[in-house]
Amino acid sequence: MTVTDQGVQTGGPDTGPLLAEYRAIVVPTAAEFLDNRISAAELRERWRNYYFDAFRRYDLTVERSWREASGSDGRITSGPPTADPQLTTPLSHFPVSIAHNNLDRLIEVLVAELGDQTAEHTQIHERLVDYATMVSELEALMASLAA
């Protein structure tokens, strides 16, 4: 997939469509997992459908927006980033991308521990608290950026 693929938003990043998908897919799935109604493996399957579809389109839009605003060709440059007001919008959306990637890693950890078992079988209950907190806080972050 490239930044020119269909489905990538035009203009600046907009968390509105992503937030709608998140609320329709991720939030109810999280509740089912935390209520022991689905396994960690099922959690990952539903998450991956969202992550590699709705989130991927959004993430590519953030990348394209950054490249357009910064003139970047995608290579890492040395030195500190330039403080430039035109970079404010793409920079404000990076935390959404980072949080999604962190949530993806946490789900993989849950699957490695639990596999086809439900949340009640975890040996490290803090992971469930982390998961619930991340789902909730990511929703709030996206809502704060919604256009």
Side-chain angles (χ1 to χ4, degrees):
M1 192 176 269
T2 66
V3 292
T4 58
D5 286 340
Q6 288 187 353
V8 175
Q9 299 170 8
T10 56
D14 177 8
T15 58
L18 182 65
L19 180 58
E21 291 280 335
Y22 189 85
R23 287 176 172 162
I25 297 167
V26 177
V27 172
T29 298
E32 287 182 65
F33 175 68
L34 294 169
D35 287 340
N36 300 305
R37 291 183 280 153
I38 63 170
S39 69
E42 178 64 20
L43 167 69
R44 176 178 55 188
E45 187 60 32
R46 292 184 194 180
W47 166 256
R48 290 174 66 92
N49 289 335
Y50 161 85
Y51 185 73
F52 289 112
D53 184 30
F55 169 69
R56 181 72 175 141
R57 287 190 313 269
Y58 167 83
D59 198 39
L60 289 171
T61 301
V62 172
E63 178 184 337
R64 183 192 39 72
S65 175
W66 168 257
R67 287 184 181 190
E68 287 175 2
S70 69
S72 170
D73 61 3
R75 294 187 191 131
I76 297 176
T77 57
S78 62
T82 304
D84 189 334
Q86 76 181 20
L87 303 177
T88 300
T89 298
L91 284 174
S92 69
H93 288 264
F94 282 165
V96 174
S97 293
I98 292 165
H100 272 84
N101 292 323
N102 289 341
L103 190 53
D104 185 57
R105 298 295 90 69
L106 179 55
I107 290 170
E108 290 300 324
V109 168
L110 289 166
V111 172
E113 178 193 359
L114 298 171
D116 288 326
Q117 296 179 344
T118 58
E120 66 191 341
H121 294 95
T122 187
Q123 297 299 310
I124 305 173
H125 295 281
E126 292 82 359
R127 285 185 184 146
L128 301 179
V129 173
D130 290 346
Y131 174 69
T133 301
M134 287 179 73
V135 168
S136 176
E137 294 301 315
L138 181 51
E139 180 181 19
L141 174 60
M142 288 190 290
S144 75
L145 293 171

